[in-house]
Amino acid sequence: AQSVTQPDIHITVSEGASLELRCNYSYGATPYLFWYVQSPGQGLQLLLKYFSGDTLVQGIKGFEAEFKRSQSSFNLRKPSVHWSDAAEYFCAVGPINDYKLSFGAGTTVTVRA
Amino acid sequence: EAGVAQSPRYKIIEKRQSVAFWCNPISGHATLYWYQQILGQGPKLLIQFQNNGVVDDSQLPKDRFSAERLKGVDSTLKIQPAKLEDSAVYLCASSLDGGTGNQPQHFGDGTRLSIL
């Protein structure tokens, strides 16, 4: 069965500092990988996705993620965070040619001035 | 394009009462999903529709939860009777196909349900 682990429940970062959110997955083959962001009271917005090819994926809002097969990881990064990046971030994994997404428990990001 | 619409945004009921949520997916999206998101957890899939047919309802507590998607567009999710553990945000999502390939799932803002 597929599963997703986000080891950090909560991260606090200063505005302008870099951010890295960790995601590890368990799956028998290379899955589809996603990062979603959820602002308070809102639904999930897709930041980026990895299906195949280049292991460094660019997304919206200046985010990028790197797929490392050897480490079963798909960490999300942003070089310089803005106050508006304060939100909850979810990593998700889905089997190729299937619809069923498994989500991690999420990482809450707080941005301090 | 207009996003996934859900209503109501908030609902407070007492246990053993019934409640219904409504979802209107993005126009043209064949696949519709209902997720349950309990506080502090990621969303969990309850049911998936492809047009007006159920593809997967393996995680839907069928003794109290029901869902339908008449005419393959709008969908309703119902809980009857509600239990305290049903307190959660109920998210609706849609995608052009089965949510794979280049067709990711798009989420609505959810309905926050509180059971007293």
Side-chain angles (χ1 to χ4, degrees):
Chain A
Q2 63 204 43
S3 66
V4 180
T5 302
Q6 294 182 246
D8 304 303
I9 296 174
H10 191 193
I11 286 179
T12 298
V13 61
S14 297
E15 191 169 17
S18 63
L19 173 69
E20 181 168 12
L21 303 182
R22 296 183 290 166
C23 173
N24 295 98
Y25 67 90
S26 173
Y27 187 64
T30 300
Y32 288 151
L33 296 158
F34 306 82
W35 275 99
Y36 283 86
V37 61
Q38 186 177 36
S39 297
Q42 297 186 13
L44 281 71
Q45 180 184 20
L46 181 68
L47 285 175
L48 47 78
K49 58 186 184 291
Y50 173 78
F51 293 147
S52 64
D54 193 346
T55 57
L56 185 62
V57 180
Q58 302 297 321
I60 62 171
K61 304 185 179 186
F63 285 92
E64 66 178 23
E66 185 172 12
F67 169 59
K68 292 186 177 180
R69 184 191 308 271
S70 61
Q71 299 176 20
S72 297
S73 69
F74 189 55
N75 294 349
L76 181 71
R77 298 193 294 256
K78 185 169 184 177
S80 177
V81 299
H82 186 261
W83 64 266
S84 60
D85 293 323
E88 191 157 20
Y89 293 79
F90 292 94
C91 181
V93 57
I96 292 175
N97 295 325
D98 197 349
Y99 57 88
K100 210 162 187 174
L101 289 183
S102 293
F103 286 85
T107 298
T108 300
V109 173
T110 298
V111 180
R112 59 181 174 221
Chain B
E1 62 180 4
V4 176
Q6 290 188 246
S7 67
R9 289 298 312 276
Y10 306 92
K11 191 72 178 179
I12 301 173
I13 62 172
E14 295 184 348
K15 59 183 178 182
R16 291 187 291 274
Q17 287 187 323
S18 62
V19 64
F21 314 126
W22 174 83
C23 173
N24 179 241
I26 294 173
S27 177
H29 281 197
T31 309
L32 185 147
Y33 312 78
W34 282 102
Y35 287 86
Q36 180 191 58
Q37 186 179 16
I38 293 173
L39 186 65
Q41 300 180 19
K44 183 187 81 172
L45 179 68
L46 292 175
I47 188 169
Q48 180 201 0
F49 292 94
Q50 186 79 14
N51 297 308
N52 61 350
V54 175
V55 174
D56 184 350
D57 63 358
S58 58
Q59 298 192 83
L60 187 73
K62 298 180 188 63
D63 58 331
R64 298 183 299 106
F65 285 65
S66 64
E68 61 182 8
R69 191 183 184 196
L70 299 176
K71 301 181 181 179
V73 181
D74 294 2
S75 177
T76 56
L77 176 69
K78 297 179 182 178
I79 308 175
Q80 182 179 11
K83 292 185 174 181
L84 292 176
E85 61 260 34
D86 298 332
S87 293
V89 175
Y90 290 85
L91 295 164
C92 180
S94 69
S95 66
L96 273 175
D97 59 7
T100 65
N102 293 320
Q103 310 303 333
Q105 299 178 28
H106 299 264
F107 286 80
D109 288 342
T111 296
R112 183 176 298 276
L113 175 66
S114 297
I115 312 294
L116 304 178

